[in-house]
Amino acid sequence: MTLTDVMFGDPQLSRIMGGAAQLAAMLRVEAALARAEARLGLIPAHAADRIVAAAEALTPDPAEIAEAAAAAGIPAQALVKALKALCGPEAGWAHFGATSQDVQDTSLVLQLREALEVLRARLTGVSEALASKAARYSGQPIPARTRFQIAAPTTLGAKVAVWQAPLARHLVRLGELEPRLLNVSFYGAAGTGAALAPRSAELRQAIAAELGLGAPAVPWHAARDGMVELGGWLALVTGSLGKMGLDLVLLGQSEVAEVAAGRGGGSSTMPQKSNPVSAEALVTLARLNAGDLGTLHQALIHAQERDGSALGIEWQILPGMVIRAGAALRIALDLAETLQPRRDRIEATFAADRGGMLAEAAGFALARNMPRSDALEIVGAALRAVADDPRETLAGALGHLAPGQDWEKVLDPAAQTGEAVDQARRATTGGRRP
Amino acid sequence: MTLTDVMFGDPQLSRIMGGAAQLAAMLRVEAALARAEARLGLIPAHAADRIVAAAEALTPDPAEIAEAAAAAGIPAQALVKALKALCGPEAGWAHFGATSQDVQDTSLVLQLREALEVLRARLTGVSEALASKAARYSGQPIPARTRFQIAAPTTLGAKVAVWQAPLARHLVRLGELEPRLLNVSFYGAAGTGAALAPRSAELRQAIAAELGLGAPAVPWHAARDGMVELGGWLALVTGSLGKMGLDLVLLGQSEVAEVAAGRGGGSSTMPQKSNPVSAEALVTLARLNAGDLGTLHQALIHAQERDGSALGIEWQILPGMVIRAGAALRIALDLAETLQPRRDRIEATFAADRGGMLAEAAGFALARNMPRSDALEIVGAALRAVADDPRETLAGALGHLAPGQDWEKVLDPAAQTGEAVDQARRATTGGRRP
Amino acid sequence: MTLTDVMFGDPQLSRIMGGAAQLAAMLRVEAALARAEARLGLIPAHAADRIVAAAEALTPDPAEIAEAAAAAGIPAQALVKALKALCGPEAGWAHFGATSQDVQDTSLVLQLREALEVLRARLTGVSEALASKAARYSGQPIPARTRFQIAAPTTLGAKVAVWQAPLARHLVRLGELEPRLLNVSFYGAAGTGAALAPRSAELRQAIAAELGLGAPAVPWHAARDGMVELGGWLALVTGSLGKMGLDLVLLGQSEVAEVAAGRGGGSSTMPQKSNPVSAEALVTLARLNAGDLGTLHQALIHAQERDGSALGIEWQILPGMVIRAGAALRIALDLAETLQPRRDRIEATFAADRGGMLAEAAGFALARNMPRSDALEIVGAALRAVADDPRETLAGALGHLAPGQDWEKVLDPAAQTGEAVDQARRATTGGRRP
Amino acid sequence: MTLTDVMFGDPQLSRIMGGAAQLAAMLRVEAALARAEARLGLIPAHAADRIVAAAEALTPDPAEIAEAAAAAGIPAQALVKALKALCGPEAGWAHFGATSQDVQDTSLVLQLREALEVLRARLTGVSEALASKAARYSGQPIPARTRFQIAAPTTLGAKVAVWQAPLARHLVRLGELEPRLLNVSFYGAAGTGAALAPRSAELRQAIAAELGLGAPAVPWHAARDGMVELGGWLALVTGSLGKMGLDLVLLGQSEVAEVAAGRGGGSSTMPQKSNPVSAEALVTLARLNAGDLGTLHQALIHAQERDGSALGIEWQILPGMVIRAGAALRIALDLAETLQPRRDRIEATFAADRGGMLAEAAGFALARNMPRSDALEIVGAALRAVADDPRETLAGALGHLAPGQDWEKVLDPAAQTGEAVDQARRATTGGRRP
């Protein structure tokens, strides 16, 4: 545990993905297995009762199981041993026909299902908060900046809509990947269910029904695309929030300060500073999950029917990615809810720009009445006039060079935001629409 | 160009993702833009004719455009300039209301659509070839190996089915992501379509109709989840094939040699060797795409309305990932089509194992008539007898220790493959089913 | 905390890199700062006494500081606040002229120095253990395998020497990088030491002397090559051990089993298995650190004079990399110490090969008396004879095809290991030599 | 070839690392091998003459060799075959005792040596250009910015010194790693030199002398730390330049524009823009090499005596990393040489700040005459006065609140840059000093 683990962590998701929760989930799997096997007549009913009772009574110490896992190469094994020790003469019926990996994977799926419900709720919350802000500031002019240069006017609502749109798509993606992920694993040592043949497929369905999961026929012990796809989704979520974070960092710079969000961290020595701690954290979380995803994909290259070196990559990476997605969503919600324009600073930006960012608009306005090349020449001359005289504006210069239009009105930023208002409002219609 | 670029490359996909194809796609976008604008009355019909003709006539030198792109920071700009130069007095109507990024992105989408058709066809081909082999060898016993140790019998068909199942899922994933990817980009300098307001949305739909693409309302100039999701899919494809490659490398080791596939590379100095060149290449391609995906995700953290440093990551990484997916599928098809068991070696493995991998099966067979703990004790004694006497087998030892069953028959590997045959055959029902 | 954190962790290094140790190191820095400032007359001596006493008395709760760090964006700030609260009227002299980052970085360097001493000792230990085993088995023949095919004979000692040689180089590298890493950071808010000018450089030297560190003139607040270079070293260490792990996994396969090392993990359901848990863990740790290094390098792209989003990457990644290097060295030591050949299996491999791996040697032996092309033709014929008759050996076939040499003796693997013995013994001369 | 390959590429280094150069290097290795073997009497002198002549005459088509390499799994093999075809009856003496990997690796080292000379020269050039600019602008005040907020004054020279210092360290690192990298590989099929025993070590020394390389005793066929360490160095170089690029991007923002460097790219539609194309490219190159390094480290996990899947990672990644380092240095040189402050904008920043960034300095100035807590209270009051009245400055407010000092002079940014001038000038003393 380091001193930045709270900054980049999340207590709720740490708990869901943590060792104690995994043990609980493994016991739940063993109980479901026993119940299903009893129902199918594969083990005696009284054995199942005993196993279920033992699974409910057992509260193993995560630290002890972790220690044993280091020797065994897989946590499930020590848990099974502890469970059997509680089952007395029925011990032989516990974990019957299963392999450690079955329990390991199914319990992981149970943990992930719980985590995904939390992430889905938070993602919906952030998406809705952004949609609401997009609507609220749909008409608030603000400069668009491309390649770190002031470009042309847009609205704050449209900016927020660009943050929100991918989140709505991520909700759709989540719905698509879940059926590929939320599956029971029960295939036995060689992936063939041989120990319980010919009833293994039937039993797998029964366990799946107990746990509310799917039950694919082909084993996924060694085909980990479902897990890795989830990693991709988590990194898409943090990446999209990282973009929002980076934008807020840049919008909050001392020289820009057009949008405020979150509570800035103070400086130990510079009283005037307000550091964009939360927005920076979103960037960090995004870069961390991006990198981890690249490593997680290495785990697809999984040898044979089971590969401990590849599984270890998953075990060590996936929980952290889930937690980071949770942390990013938590932070993003706070930023979304506290986001507000600083109108004085926005107006100051427009004033300081003196119309430069409306050069394109001026060109199009002129081109309605003259060849486009002539229009661009006039705009060029006007921009030079603006550059030469710090008190001149583009509207003023065009008033001289191309009289006949109310240039102040034509070049009012609010009049030159095109579809921005519509883009911003669109985000509100559900907040989930792609 | 290095000497290993053929080994890890693919000429067809290199062409589709290459500079000349990109220029052609950009010109196609400019022509579609001109046609759509003329149809909507935004530019004169004769201007559109001239632009379309110029776009068809222009064959810019990719090297020159690349040189200009280095100065401009984006390739589209120099192409637009060259196009305008061909349009004479109508030059002002070319690229009307668009920004370079619009053309850059839409042309990329056109390239990707073509690439995905090739990849989809190849993926279907590999999936079907594997499904066919799975069916053919559905009953061919072969050891399952877990954690690099012989575990228990399965069948070659079931092994192949584990390679095939993710490919079928990848085809489903491709169908899901395409609508998020295959979209026109036409939003203008600030993403608001301001230059052509209030008709920009209508125009976007018209261009999209020309090109057969979607037209989302919110700009994706700076929201790159569609592109990055594609990268994830490419890495899932190469990763799944990397697993198949690694398995074939391991199955082809001198000491195993149970499955042959592809044509081995010879050694310059060791005449007896047959190197698993193709299977190794699948592993390499998988690791390269895995790593690149991690880097590509960094590009989600995209500043403001356009960020050249983030776009550059995409530009440099995505084409290579597409090509590698194509190369991996090409190599995998050859491996799938030439795959065959070497039955003598498989039989030798079973013989050398002397029943060890059937210990679990023996335990379950015994446990039908006695407490499970007693059964496991007898199996343990039998395994020790096998270990002590190099001529003893598990069946032989159990004949002494637990007479009354035909142990040779019970422990026949072919009788202990559980659902393997069914798993293998299932792959054939369409080859596309998840 | 997950259930695999012991498997891939290390308690000693977790402690050194953990939150409590970081707090202790930060307090040590604050005390050194106070002492140095008093010595230079920059703060009153009694203030320094009070600060030093407070630093010694303070035992902040890591969880509380971590919570405060999440708000402040940097852990040092809350610690400084807690320290000042203990200093009463002298509070104003605590942390005098420093910025949070100074304390953050210098304390990190102190932690890393301690960690590197542990890692250096362990690395030396593994290197020596391997050198000893290399010497011991310098003459033990064993097949070399290239591209997963049996190639030609080498010795086990030579194999071990290939694992050992990089470790010796890593010790050299460590000595080279330490002076670039083990430096004090004391540059103040803007990196200029302005608060204490013109005595800041002198003070920096004094603090450095207190702590036994270097004191570069140019601030490294934002130039993180020292930290990232360390990450590279850690990943080189785990990567080299990952190669050893992978080799042991492959040498320990059921079908090879020529080298045993470590204690295998059992299977929950297959009593005959012995899983290469430790060797697999080395591969996992190597892949994890490899991936993390790629992410850590992103932190070099550090904005301005201090960039929270880049620092966060370091904070979250570096401790884990250190711990993984420690874990890998701990595991590798156990493997090195328990490593031993299984001579029966090695002999069986040579017997089963029937001389194939000596084809190159046969060619060279023949070429001493005839044109090389003739020699290769005879070898080819001999290999075909071996392939056709399962009882034939290369020596036997050459006895017929090229009589006149004692082929059994010429093709004795032990006679065909070239420099292997010398390579293996060389490792012992210090164990540290590159 | 894509349209951004010039932007992120480098023609000189592409040539050095390209296929034709690799073929030439391999032929050079074969010639050196033949000469050394003849000198030691291992092959006939006339055979060596013939081989050397053939190596000089041969100009193989890279595309053909690349095609053959795809089948063989290694480029060297086809080249050796082509060479032998030119040697007539002496063919058997060509490549005598070597394995393909020997030639592959030694030729790579020759290419890298040439590349490193170019990179060293460029790195020295950039370092010197930056040192010169650091000296030139050593006293030019400019705000330091921490966490994207204006912090306190520094000088432009000190900023540049922070970019330069790591480059000087990279030159030292290069000198350290070269002896570990610039080595001949000549160990034969199994790494033991068996074919030429007992003279293989002697021969290795002779080849090394021919080529000016080192000759370690233990083979590095499968111990790739030298190559991977080089990758780390390349990523450190691009990473440090990426920091400079990011700083220039941020310093060049429309709202900051305090430093100009390079020639900005124009916009296709916004005539007023000047995009920081070169600075952005540095960031992109840094992120690409960072990610590639993570993947390259996976290649350390190299199976057995030779692992084609790991070698493929190196082959595909390392040349690109070299080229990117070259591109980044080329771009950075241009930026360094054209870098200049825009003094009007810097002055405007200071004016707009109205003393806020001198709050720390004011606190220290006051604390010379009063308790630090009182000083901080007065500064706080002054900052509030500044915040309340847009015409007030910190100096003005302190004039009222704490009369008796010439606050304009005390808070002159140029008077508050501490060691900045010294840090900046230090960079010039050689430009290479760490």
Side-chain angles (χ1 to χ4, degrees), chain D residues 2-240:
Chain D
T2 76
L3 300 179
T4 62
D5 284 357
V6 174
M7 199 185 310
F8 300 109
D10 186 84
Q12 186 181 11
L13 287 156
S14 290
R15 191 188 50 69
I16 293 172
M17 297 308 298
Q22 191 178 1
L23 289 171
M26 288 200 279
L27 289 168
R28 200 173 150 202
V29 173
E30 293 288 356
L33 170 62
R35 271 194 298 264
E37 287 180 331
R39 191 140 26 88
L40 268 62
L42 294 166
I43 67 170
H46 63 90
D49 292 344
R50 178 73 186 254
I51 294 162
V52 170
E56 278 165 11
L58 194 61
T59 53
D61 176 9
E64 268 176 41
I65 300 289
E67 199 70 46
I74 186 164
Q77 212 171 91
L79 190 269
V80 170
K81 204 173 147 193
L83 177 67
K84 288 187 174 182
L86 257 192
C87 289
E90 318 298 352
W93 298 112
H95 189 66
F96 189 68
T99 198
S100 299
Q101 190 64 26
D102 289 335
V103 177
Q104 190 78 23
D105 274 343
T106 308
S107 64
L108 174 59
V109 165
L110 293 177
Q111 290 177 280
L112 290 173
R113 181 170 61 185
E114 190 179 348
L116 287 178
E117 278 322 297
V118 174
L119 294 181
R120 187 197 306 277
R122 291 192 191 180
L123 181 52
T124 304
V126 176
S127 179
E128 286 172 358
L130 288 177
S132 157
K133 287 294 168 92
R136 180 157 174 193
Y137 301 118
S138 63
Q140 169 66 50
I142 195 169
R145 290 171 176 90
T146 58
R147 306 193 84 154
F148 302 93
Q149 304 293 305
I150 288 180
T154 183
T155 74
L156 178 55
K159 261 184 203 288
V160 175
V162 171
W163 302 336
Q164 191 271 342
L167 304 191
R169 289 190 286 267
H170 298 333
L171 284 166
V172 175
R173 289 178 178 113
L174 179 58
E176 290 167 356
L177 73 83
E178 276 181 329
R180 287 187 287 266
L181 178 72
L182 300 181
N183 290 311
V184 81
S185 182
F186 183 74
Y187 305 96
T192 61
L196 297 172
R199 307 200 56 195
S200 55
E202 188 189 353
L203 175 57
R204 191 182 309 121
Q205 296 289 351
I207 303 166
E210 286 272 349
L211 296 170
L213 299 172
V218 176
W220 53 278
H221 283 164
R224 312 300 294 185
D225 51 301
M227 289 295 157
V228 174
E229 181 183 24
L230 171 64
W233 184 81
L234 296 166
L236 283 172
V237 169
T238 48
S240 294

Side-chain angles (χ1 to χ4, degrees), chain A residues 25-70:
Chain A
M26 288 200 279
L27 290 168
R28 200 175 149 199
V29 172
E30 294 288 356
L33 170 61
R35 270 194 297 264
E37 289 182 328
R39 192 143 21 92
L40 269 60
L42 294 166
I43 68 170
H46 63 91
D49 292 344
R50 179 74 186 254
I51 294 161
V52 170
E56 278 166 11
L58 194 63
T59 52
D61 177 9
E64 268 177 42
I65 300 289
E67 200 68 46

Side-chain angles (χ1 to χ4, degrees), chain A residues 368-416:
Chain A
R368 283 187 196 112
N369 305 312
M370 65 179 75
R372 198 160 153 68
S373 52
D374 295 0
L376 292 179
E377 234 166 74
I378 293 174
V379 172
L383 285 170
R384 280 190 298 279
V386 171
D388 290 345
D389 178 355
R391 284 158 314 174
E392 185 59 286
T393 66
L394 189 65
L398 286 170
H400 298 298
L401 291 163
Q405 299 206 38
D406 179 352
W407 285 110
E408 289 293 343
K409 197 173 152 198
V410 169
L411 300 186
D412 176 8
Q416 290 293 346

Side-chain angles (χ1 to χ4, degrees), chain A residues 163-224:
Chain A
W163 302 336
Q164 190 271 343
L167 304 191
R169 290 190 285 267
H170 298 333
L171 284 167
V172 175
R173 289 177 176 114
L174 179 58
E176 290 167 356
L177 72 84
E178 276 180 329
R180 287 186 286 265
L181 178 72
L182 300 181
N183 289 313
V184 83
S185 182
F186 184 74
Y187 304 97
T192 61
L196 297 174
R199 307 204 52 196
S200 54
E202 188 188 353
L203 174 58
R204 190 182 310 121
Q205 295 289 350
I207 304 165
E210 287 270 347
L211 296 170
L213 299 172
V218 176
W220 53 278
H221 284 163
R224 312 300 293 186

Side-chain angles (χ1 to χ4, degrees), chain C residues 24-412:
Chain C
M26 289 200 279
L27 289 168
R28 201 174 149 200
V29 173
E30 294 288 355
L33 170 62
R35 271 194 297 263
E37 288 182 331
R39 191 141 26 88
L40 268 62
L42 294 166
I43 68 171
H46 63 91
D49 292 345
R50 178 74 185 255
I51 294 161
V52 170
E56 279 165 10
L58 194 62
T59 52
D61 176 8
E64 268 176 40
I65 300 290
E67 200 69 46
I74 186 164
Q77 213 171 92
L79 190 270
V80 171
K81 204 174 149 196
L83 177 67
K84 287 187 174 182
L86 256 193
C87 290
E90 318 299 351
W93 298 112
H95 190 66
F96 189 68
T99 197
S100 300
Q101 190 63 25
D102 290 334
V103 177
Q104 190 78 22
D105 274 344
T106 308
S107 65
L108 175 58
V109 166
L110 294 177
Q111 290 178 280
L112 290 173
R113 180 171 60 184
E114 189 180 347
L116 288 178
E117 278 321 299
V118 175
L119 294 180
R120 187 198 306 276
R122 291 192 192 181
L123 181 52
T124 304
V126 176
S127 178
E128 286 172 357
L130 289 176
S132 158
K133 287 295 169 91
R136 180 156 171 192
Y137 300 118
S138 62
Q140 169 65 50
I142 196 169
R145 291 173 175 88
T146 58
R147 307 192 84 154
F148 302 93
Q149 303 293 304
I150 288 180
T154 183
T155 73
L156 178 55
K159 262 184 202 286
V160 174
V162 170
W163 302 336
Q164 190 271 342
L167 305 191
R169 290 191 285 268
H170 298 333
L171 284 166
V172 175
R173 289 178 176 113
L174 178 58
E176 291 168 357
L177 73 83
E178 276 179 330
R180 289 187 285 266
L181 178 72
L182 300 181
N183 289 312
V184 83
S185 182
F186 184 73
Y187 304 98
T192 61
L196 296 172
R199 307 203 55 195
S200 54
E202 187 188 355
L203 175 58
R204 191 181 310 120
Q205 296 289 350
I207 304 165
E210 287 271 349
L211 296 170
L213 299 172
V218 175
W220 53 278
H221 283 163
R224 312 298 296 185
D225 51 302
M227 289 294 155
V228 175
E229 180 183 26
L230 172 64
W233 183 81
L234 296 167
L236 283 173
V237 169
T238 47
S240 295
L241 299 176
K243 188 258 186 296
M244 170 177 149
L246 180 54
D247 280 354
L248 286 172
V249 164
L250 294 172
L251 285 166
Q253 292 174 99
S254 304
E255 299 86 352
V256 181
E258 295 171 0
V259 177
R263 282 157 293 273
S267 159
S268 70
T269 173
M270 291 168 284
Q272 84 283 9
K273 287 193 64 187
S274 169
N275 294 324
V277 170
S278 296
E280 283 181 330
L282 289 184
V283 176
T284 300
L285 289 163
R287 297 214 186 278
L288 291 172
N289 262 6
D292 265 5
L293 179 63
T295 315
L296 183 66
H297 267 258
Q298 301 285 351
L300 284 173
I301 309 163
H302 188 117
Q304 304 176 335
E305 274 68 36
R306 216 123 70 240
D307 177 347
S309 68
L311 287 170
I313 294 173
E314 268 187 43
W315 293 339
Q316 284 286 294
I317 284 187
L318 204 50
M321 291 187 76
V322 169
I323 293 166
R324 282 194 212 109
L329 287 164
R330 174 176 53 73
I331 293 168
L333 183 62
D334 178 56
L335 290 170
E337 288 179 343
T338 56
L339 176 144
Q340 53 178 319
R342 292 182 57 183
R343 291 195 177 84
D344 56 331
R345 296 299 305 260
I346 295 173
E347 278 160 31
T349 303
F350 280 116
D353 180 60
R354 293 182 288 131
M357 80 179 85
L358 291 148
E360 187 200 32
F364 273 89
L366 285 167
R368 283 186 196 112
N369 305 311
M370 66 179 75
R372 197 161 152 68
S373 52
D374 294 2
L376 293 178
E377 232 166 75
I378 292 174
V379 172
L383 285 171
R384 279 190 299 280
V386 171
D388 290 345
D389 178 355
R391 284 157 316 172
E392 184 61 284
T393 66
L394 189 65
L398 287 170
H400 298 297
L401 293 162
Q405 299 206 39
D406 179 352
W407 284 109
E408 289 293 343
K409 198 175 151 196
V410 170
L411 299 185
D412 175 8

Side-chain angles (χ1 to χ4, degrees), chain A residues 145-151 249 252-255 269-270 272-276 280 287 298 356-357 360, chain D residues 145-151 249 252-255 269-270 272-276 280 287 356-357 360:
Chain A
R145 291 172 175 90
T146 58
R147 306 191 84 153
F148 302 92
Q149 304 292 306
I150 288 179
V249 165
Q253 292 174 98
S254 304
E255 299 85 351
T269 173
M270 291 168 285
Q272 84 284 9
K273 288 192 64 187
S274 170
N275 294 324
E280 284 180 330
R287 297 213 187 280
Q298 301 284 352
M357 80 179 85
E360 186 200 33
Chain D
R145 290 171 176 90
T146 58
R147 306 193 84 154
F148 302 93
Q149 304 293 305
I150 288 180
V249 164
Q253 292 174 97
S254 305
E255 299 86 349
T269 175
M270 292 168 284
Q272 84 282 11
K273 286 193 66 187
S274 169
N275 293 325
E280 282 180 330
R287 296 212 187 279
M357 79 178 88
E360 186 199 34

